[in-house]
Amino acid sequence: VNGMEIYSMKIDSKVTSRFAHNVITSRAVNRGNVSKEVFFDVELPKTAFITNFSMTIDGVTYPGTIKEKEAAKKQYEKAVSRGQTAGLVKASGRKTEKFTVSVNIKAASKVTFELTYEELLKRQFGKYEMFIKVKPKQLVKDFEIEVDIFEPQGITELEAEGTFITNELQNTIKKTFSGKKGHISFKPTVDQQRTCATCSQSVLDGDFTVKYDVKRTTPDNLQIVNGYFVHFFAPTNLPKLSKNIIFVLDTSGSMYGREIEQTKEALLKILDDIKEDDFFDIILFDSEISTWKETLIKATPENLDEARKFVRDISTQGATNLHGGLMRGIDILNAAHEENLVPKRSASIIIMLTDGLPNVGVSDTQEIEKAVKKAIDGRYTLYNLGFGSGVDYGFLERMALENKGLARRIYPDSDAALQLQGFYDEVSNPMLIDVELKYPENEISDLTTNSFKHFYDGSEIVVAGRFVDSNQNHLSVDVRGEGANDPLSYTAQQDAEQTAQAFQDQQYIFGEYIERLWAYLTIEQLLEKRITATGEEKENLTAQALALSLMYKFVTPLTSMVVTKPEENDNEEGIADKPTEVLNMYLEFLLSKPGMYVVYAKLLLIVKLISIKPSFITKSYGQTSPQYHTYAPSPSWHTSVDGDPHFIISVPQKKDAICFNINENPGTILNLINDPITGITVNGELIGDKRANSDAKIQNSYFGKLGIANKHLNVKLTVTPEMITIQNGDEKTGFTWLDSVTLQQAGLTLIINRKKNLVLSMGSGASFVVVLHQVWKKHPLHQDFLGLYTLKSDKLSEQTHGLLGQFFQPIDFTILEIHPGSDPKKPDATMIVKNNELTVTRGWQKDYRRDPKHGVDIPCWFVHDNGAGLIDGVHTDYIVSSLF
């Protein structure tokens, strides 16, 4: 595209005993006669860890180096201060993360990109699945996917399919398997890649999926190689356990409309699948708690019919008493077991679905976690499903992990009912409970998790470990579990010689694969344990996971990969991080005028004393008449809400705005604007209140310091509510807000309007207004703070980034399905923006440019979850270590 031709793209996957080692190689040439920027842009499974990246330009290789996140960040920030691009890895969908790197290539030059990532393939519904995202964005002369699988147990089935595969392309998928080996190749010609005979667009855009399973003559497969072992456990032909299942459903007002309809649709289909030996109940929570039955009921046809009627009549109202709903469910399960209403050998499961935060009854999430853990006491499994972006996902995940379950996001899409049903299918067939795999303690060190509450049909338990004596070549394991009719108990054995015989064909095996599998699984489990840990335990888990990530060169949430580019790219460095699931804080927001961008910092109080979600005072936003002000000739609308570090993106063509909020601790420094071309950067440091407010759920934070720099002019301006300091090279000049100043020097104008604001104009014409907010000096809580407005943002380059800067280029969005939110005065809607579908809330915010004391009220659509889905990457990508 644009003179850059990708002439080769190869995706090479080698799978040995479920562990996949994938290498993506892309080669491009600049056919133009001037330097061009080329992008290497691939999507990877979220479950994978990147292990290596390099680019080779005209024979010179530039490798990526994996470092501790903090060390990488410092190295990266030095590059940022020289005008640097943003992070390289971003969450980009339900199952994927996007890795992007760009580099300038001279005319006629070639570049080769090579990315390696690894993952352990998990078994679901009786098959292992490997997922490859295919999206070359242009016709590629030499395009190939090649997958080699080696399974010592032997392969029983192998399939490959693509969402983009047409009838003609079907024949280009070559698939063979026999014995222990399987091979898949997909190599379409350029003509086969076209969307039509004369088209230049590529049909290759979608998911390529490989699924397979292995022979199972015994329930176990043990493999021993070079001092490490892996144990795969997946018994077949067991009788199904009956299950006791409690559905705990959020029916608060925010579930109104599509969400509750999809939940009901999924639940009706689930009721069709419940077995007659199962017991179940349904609990609904809004402000009150209601149950279908007071005890668990057997799933007879008559009872299921009655349950279907109950589900069809579910409606939404009120607030969110999540604690009350869960505790009622646990009480019903406890009573059923105590009174022997359910079989002794049965699996008890709670599935809880919510779309918001608890705000009635017990609303402190830590208290809820403690109470639920104490009540369940290890007896039942809790699965938490978070619907949409209004949930505190971190809270749901911690609570599920503490109770031997897991959390899952349900995306508010047209297929939400299928997502809910799919999750139920995964856990609907328990075969064993209380499974424990015991290894000789004196022989094994560093064992991964070896006890499991449930084993589900079609899944697999994987345990790996390291021998104390690396020369040990024999292992026995005692397997224990409770089945539907009898206890399961036997001993399995294996020696290294048997493994070696099974592995005679060495061509398929890469490196120390069992050792890497053990490291991958150990890191994954340490990171999971870290979610619920605190204090010293969390520090120890972090240290262990970090040491392993560095030793085995995995990009995990604790490490980053720094990519250095050639000198003609201004020594640019990129940083590749592993995105983590964004925690959602229920925050409100701030807004600016069309053509303006604003960041404000007085976080709204969310007060425990008021047991409802914070509301906006809104008027009918569609019918207010525009008002014009001399300061900024653009329309504004009326109402009132206080403001905070809030970001506003005005969208003039819509006569509307989008806003979002970032919730971080005092002392955090955020990169707001970063323009590598003009050399302008703006960073802001958060401060807190004078003391913590014991009534507030989320503590106030403000922008207490702003740093505006222009590296071309060698100028740095530091602004606090007390002082304004300008540093020109080694010269420093200081002013206070009591001064009235107009300062002009080469390429820069600074005007201070006493006790109100300052205006700074820089070489390129870009201007910034900093507004001073002063509070009563004896106020017991609040401090003075600052607001920042950007004028003439079009004078900054197209490469401008940062929390604010990324929106200086036009952005478009579509609003669908406006419907009542949890507060009737504050409607919710679905927003399509940047190809993401987000749940947004209508609200109002003040513009303080004209009147720093009272402000003018303006409406916007608020994006929850720290701007997730709207901002590039996640908000933590924008945290920097210093003001300059």
Side-chain angles (χ1 to χ4, degrees):
V1 179
N2 194 22
M4 288 302 316
E5 182 197 338
I6 299 169
Y7 62 89
S8 168
M9 180 173 265
K10 183 159 185 186
I11 300 164
D12 183 65
S13 297
K14 297 213 175 325
V15 183
T16 304
S17 293
R18 294 67 149 168
F19 196 62
H21 175 89
N22 308 283
V23 182
I24 300 174
T25 309
S26 178
R27 302 175 197 276
V29 59
N30 183 356
R31 300 274 186 218
N33 49 15
V34 293
S35 285
K36 291 275 169 69
E37 188 174 26
V38 61
F39 287 86
F40 175 68
D41 190 351
V42 294
E43 291 188 53
L44 316 173
K46 282 182 179 174
T47 46
F49 291 150
I50 291 170
T51 62
N52 196 22
F53 172 75
S54 67
M55 53 190 168
T56 304
I57 301 165
D58 293 336
V60 181
T61 297
Y62 301 88
T65 52
I66 292 173
K67 302 187 171 191
E68 182 180 355
K69 197 165 212 143
E70 280 311 304
K73 202 178 265 184
K74 283 177 187 141
Q75 183 175 340
Y76 176 59
E77 277 155 14
K78 278 184 193 165
V80 169
S81 66
R82 298 196 299 265
Q84 169 56 24
T85 52
L88 303 179
V89 184
K90 302 182 171 85
S92 73
R94 296 182 192 176
K95 297 202 291 190
T96 56
E97 290 159 359
K98 186 178 280 191
F99 177 94
T100 307
V101 69
S102 67
V103 65
N104 284 315
I105 301 294
K106 291 176 187 160
S109 284
K110 290 182 176 180
V111 58
T112 299
F113 298 104
E114 188 174 281
L115 178 75
T116 306
Y117 65 94
E118 293 177 344
E119 68 170 325
L120 178 63
L121 304 181
K122 296 197 168 52
R123 188 168 183 256
Q124 267 189 344
F125 306 120
K127 287 174 188 168
Y128 304 97
E129 181 177 306
M130 185 165 71
F131 161 86
I132 297 168
K133 193 81 176 172
V134 176
K135 195 171 187 173
K137 295 183 184 169
Q138 60 172 267
L139 301 173
V140 179
K141 190 171 130 195
D142 181 14
F143 181 91
E144 185 175 11
I145 295 174
E146 195 156 22
V147 182
D148 286 313
I149 301 168
F150 182 79
E151 286 290 350
Q153 288 165 271
I155 297 168
T156 54
E157 56 180 313
L158 175 64
E159 55 191 71
E161 56 194 29
T163 54
F164 51 85
I165 298 292
T166 58
N167 287 341
E168 188 186 353
L169 280 176
Q170 193 67 50
N171 303 327
T172 61
I173 300 178
K174 306 290 184 218
K175 181 182 77 172
T176 57
F177 71 96
S178 70
K180 299 171 186 175
K181 294 189 214 170
H183 180 81
I184 284 168
S185 75
F186 173 60
K187 196 171 181 179
T189 63
V190 170
D191 284 341
Q192 286 170 325
Q193 292 171 42
R194 297 180 194 277
T195 48
C196 73
T198 55
C199 299
S200 57
Q201 279 85 30
S202 173
V203 76
L204 305 183
D205 182 358
D207 304 341
F208 189 83
T209 308
V210 174
K211 293 180 184 178
Y212 73 93
D213 201 18
V214 301
K215 281 190 183 127
R216 287 189 169 75
T217 48
T218 63
D220 307 86
N221 179 248
L222 276 158
Q223 296 172 22
I224 301 170
V225 177
N226 297 343
Y228 290 83
F229 80 87
V230 62
H231 180 187
F232 299 106
F233 174 75
T236 53
N237 303 321
L238 291 172
K240 283 189 173 59
L241 273 164
S242 67
K243 61 183 179 292
N244 316 308
I245 188 158
I246 301 248
F247 299 98
V248 181
L249 306 177
D250 183 344
T251 55
S252 62
S254 56
M255 285 284 289
Y256 174 83
R258 187 165 79 159
E259 289 187 11
I260 198 66
E261 291 310 316
Q262 290 174 321
T263 303
K264 286 158 72 169
E265 181 191 337
L267 200 50
L268 288 168
K269 290 202 173 106
I270 287 167
L271 290 173
D272 291 342
D273 292 338
I274 287 183
K275 315 284 185 300
E276 194 158 351
D277 290 339
D278 294 340
F279 288 76
F280 74 109
D281 198 0
I282 302 165
I283 291 161
L284 311 179
F285 65 90
D286 43 57
S287 304
E288 306 297 325
I289 312 302
S290 56
T291 55
W292 172 53
K293 298 288 181 189
E294 291 307 309
T295 59
L296 276 169
I297 296 287
K298 199 161 194 262
T300 63
E302 299 75 29
N303 287 338
L304 286 167
D305 277 344
E306 194 185 327
R308 289 184 188 100
K309 284 187 194 120
F310 177 79
V311 169
R312 288 190 191 102
D313 289 340
I314 291 174
S315 60
T316 57
Q317 61 176 23
T320 311
N321 187 354
L322 184 147
H323 169 264
L326 266 179
M327 295 306 281
R328 180 72 60 86
I330 298 165
D331 288 345
I332 288 173
L333 266 178
N334 285 343
H337 282 279
E338 283 161 17
E339 295 163 26
N340 294 321
L341 298 177
V342 294
K344 231 183 179 63
R345 291 180 182 280
S346 57
S348 293
I349 297 166
I350 301 168
I351 296 180
M352 194 270 289
L353 171 80
T354 182
D355 77 332
L357 294 186
N359 53 21
V360 171
V362 180
S363 58
D364 182 300
T365 53
Q366 286 184 325
E367 279 183 45
I368 296 172
E369 282 174 49
K370 275 187 206 156
V372 168
K373 188 177 181 185
K374 188 178 175 189
I376 288 179
D377 196 24
R379 290 169 296 183
Y380 321 128
T381 306
L382 172 65
Y383 294 106
N384 287 331
L385 306 181
F387 205 135
S389 58
V391 292
D392 179 346
Y393 189 80
F395 156 61
L396 296 182
E397 187 173 39
R398 282 192 307 275
M399 191 162 58
L401 291 172
E402 282 174 338
N403 296 288
K404 301 185 179 176
L406 54 85
R408 184 76 59 85
R409 274 198 191 278
I410 301 297
Y411 294 85
D413 274 335
S414 55
D415 68 341
L418 290 172
Q419 295 175 57
L420 289 166
Q421 217 184 316
F423 175 80
Y424 173 77
D425 290 344
E426 286 176 46
V427 300
S428 63
N429 288 314
M431 313 299 274
L432 294 169
I433 53 173
D434 298 326
V435 178
E436 192 159 7
L437 310 174
K438 288 188 172 175
Y439 307 86
E441 279 179 34
N442 57 340
E443 294 176 11
I444 304 294
S445 68
D446 304 314
L447 186 68
T448 62
T449 301
N450 66 325
S451 66
F452 305 85
K453 188 66 187 167
H454 294 152
F455 168 74
Y456 294 107
D457 191 24
S459 70
E460 180 173 69
I461 284 172
V462 184
V463 180
R466 181 162 60 175
F467 289 112
V468 173
D469 174 3
S470 61
N471 295 316
Q472 182 166 334
N473 56 18
H474 176 84
L475 180 65
S476 65
V477 53
D478 290 329
V479 179
R480 302 279 180 274
E482 295 295 330
N485 305 321
D486 309 293
L488 178 79
S489 178
Y490 65 89
T491 300
Q493 304 200 0
Q494 174 72 324
D495 62 45
E497 206 171 296
Q498 286 168 290
T499 304
Q501 281 172 0
F503 278 54
Q504 280 165 354
D505 196 330
Q506 288 294 317
Q507 73 180 58
Y508 273 51
I509 299 171
F510 57 89
E512 306 294 336
Y513 90 93
I514 284 186
E515 186 178 342
R516 292 192 70 79
L517 186 159
W518 164 81
Y520 172 98
L521 200 54
T522 303
I523 292 167
E524 194 177 57
Q525 291 176 0
L526 288 168
L527 292 171
E528 194 173 88
K529 285 177 188 162
R530 203 170 149 257
I531 292 168
T532 57
T534 53
E536 197 176 327
E537 186 196 359
K538 186 165 191 165
E539 285 172 25
N540 290 340
L541 291 166
T542 301
Q544 290 172 57
L546 173 62
L548 282 174
S549 299
L550 291 170
M551 184 187 296
Y552 291 95
K553 296 190 164 38
F554 286 132
V555 177
T556 70
L558 304 175
T559 52
S560 299
M561 184 167 63
V562 179
V563 179
T564 308
K565 299 184 184 182
E567 284 179 15
E568 56 267 30
N569 288 263
D570 292 333
N571 283 327
E572 280 193 358
E573 283 159 351
I575 195 162
D577 285 335
K578 179 84 179 160
T580 51
E581 184 71 63
V582 188
L583 294 187
N584 192 320
M585 297 300 180
Y586 188 88
L587 296 182
E588 311 314 350
F589 50 84
L590 172 114
L591 183 55
S592 85
K593 296 279 185 85
M596 303 288 298
Y597 302 84
V598 56
V599 51
Y600 253 96
K602 189 172 87 52
L603 274 173
L604 214 84
L605 285 170
I606 299 181
V607 185
K608 280 189 203 165
L609 294 175
I610 305 168
S611 64
I612 56 169
K613 293 177 185 172
S615 62
F616 305 97
I617 308 162
T618 63
K619 295 191 180 158
S620 133
Y621 53 83
Q623 297 155 15
T624 48
S625 54
Q627 289 214 339
Y628 290 85
H629 300 278
T630 52
Y631 191 86
S634 45
S636 134
W637 296 261
H638 267 93
T639 96
S640 72
V641 186
D642 204 345
D644 120 356
H646 312 284
F647 296 72
I648 296 258
I649 305 109
S650 112
V651 186
Q653 72 268 31
K654 300 266 188 206
K655 293 187 178 168
D656 208 339
I658 307 174
C659 42
F660 64 98
N661 210 336
I662 300 295
N663 183 42
E664 273 297 337
N665 296 323
T668 302
I669 301 170
L670 297 169
N671 174 239
L672 306 176
I673 299 166
N674 174 20
D675 183 359
I677 306 301
T678 62
I680 291 172
T681 59
V682 182
N683 293 329
E685 181 175 344
L686 297 176
I687 57 169
D689 270 333
K690 293 174 185 172
R691 59 178 173 78
N693 178 0
S694 58
D695 289 329
K697 214 177 198 182
I698 294 172
Q699 297 300 322
N700 281 353
S701 69
Y702 316 72
F703 274 109
K705 192 184 279 188
L706 292 168
I708 304 172
N710 186 322
K711 72 168 184 180
H712 299 328
L713 298 175
N714 198 13
V715 167
K716 293 175 182 173
L717 182 77
T718 307
V719 187
T720 71
E722 294 77 44
M723 287 286 295
I724 298 134
T725 309
I726 188 160
Q727 184 173 346
N728 205 331
D730 294 325
E731 272 182 48
K732 264 191 185 179
T733 312
F735 305 99
T736 75
W737 283 100
L738 296 171
D739 299 320
S740 288
V741 174
T742 300
L743 175 74
Q744 283 189 301
Q745 58 186 62
L748 180 139
T749 305
L750 173 68
I751 300 165
I752 301 174
N753 296 309
R754 175 185 155 89
K755 292 174 78 173
K756 282 186 181 170
N757 58 42
L758 68 81
V759 183
L760 175 71
S761 300
M762 300 250 199
S764 67
S767 302
F768 303 94
V769 179
V770 178
V771 176
L772 173 67
H773 287 276
Q774 290 184 309
V775 299
W776 175 46
K777 290 284 170 260
K778 293 182 182 174
H779 195 289
L781 275 180
H782 303 327
Q783 304 194 66
D784 295 350
F785 65 102
L786 305 170
L788 170 79
Y789 293 80
T790 304
L791 306 175
K792 299 186 184 171
S793 58
D794 58 334
K795 301 291 185 187
L796 294 167
S797 82
E798 287 184 8
Q799 292 183 36
T800 303
H801 211 263
L803 273 170
L804 214 51
Q806 64 188 287
F807 299 108
F808 290 175
Q809 299 306 310
I811 183 170
D812 198 9
F813 68 88
T814 305
I815 292 290
L816 308 169
E817 301 174 6
I818 297 177
H819 57 270
S822 51
D823 182 326
K825 296 176 185 159
K826 189 179 68 178
D828 282 355
T830 299
M831 173 184 284
I832 311 292
V833 62
K834 291 189 177 178
N835 292 326
N836 293 322
E837 190 171 318
L838 310 177
T839 300
V840 293
T841 303
R842 192 62 174 178
W844 300 70
Q845 194 48 54
K846 287 186 181 294
D847 179 343
Y848 288 102
R849 285 168 302 162
R850 182 103 179 111
D851 179 355
K853 208 163 195 172
H854 303 107
V856 175
D857 298 296
I858 302 175
C860 67
W861 289 106
F862 178 63
V863 177
H864 301 268
D865 210 0
N866 289 314
L870 173 69
I871 62 172
D872 293 338
V874 293
H875 78 281
T876 49
D877 294 348
Y878 300 86
I879 296 175
V880 293
S881 58
S882 63
L883 212 54
F884 295 109

